[in-house]
Amino acid sequence: MYRDITRARRRRSDPMYLFVHLLASFIASGAFGILFNAPKRTLLQCGLSGMVGWMVYILLESQMGGVFATVAATFLVGALSQLFARIYKKPVIIFSVAGIIPLVPGGLAYDAMRRFVENQYDLAVELAAKAFLLSGSIAIGLVLSEVLGQLLIRRVPRRRLRRRADK
């Protein structure tokens, strides 16, 4: 067991391992941008937001657990999506939906359903609970980034208005 853990840690620190994951997450996010009919000019940013989110997840998951890593990665995807939306004058949802695609626990949900069909209920419930927690952490991360983004947006114009009123 100890050998498996150290082998997994070594694998995650391998530059080729990280490069393959980042490339795959970039392609997956860009491909889902195409699937969701995102404008062609935004596909690079869609891929970039998914790649950055997956990178944060990979780096934090071994140290802090899957749920916290997913919240942090999704929060960063949401903040990056808001930034891209302001820069490129497009809706936030274009970048956020494509960006969270690598974080969605689809394989875990599939394994849970497969275990239910195979009558392995104890493992199925465990996998389903983990998939549910990861899905909820995606929602929490997106909501947190949206709320903090709205708070920052409201504060900036007020400061400018106060300065103009004082002059």
Side-chain angles (χ1 to χ4, degrees), residues 56-69:
V56 169
Y57 176 80
I58 289 261
L59 294 175
L60 292 180
E61 194 264 334
S62 62
Q63 299 168 355
M64 299 185 183
V67 174
F68 180 76

Side-chain angles (χ1 to χ4, degrees), residues 128-148:
K130 188 172 181 181
F132 181 72
L133 285 173
L134 291 175
S135 300
S137 64
I138 290 172
I140 289 171
L142 285 175
V143 167
L144 282 176
S145 68
E146 180 67 29
V147 167
L148 287 178

Side-chain angles (χ1 to χ4, degrees), residues 7-14 17-18 58 61-62:
R7 192 176 304 144
R9 286 184 184 153
R10 255 186 272 133
R11 196 175 340 135
R12 286 181 188 231
S13 63
D14 182 27
Y17 174 83
L18 291 174
I58 289 261
E61 194 264 334
S62 62

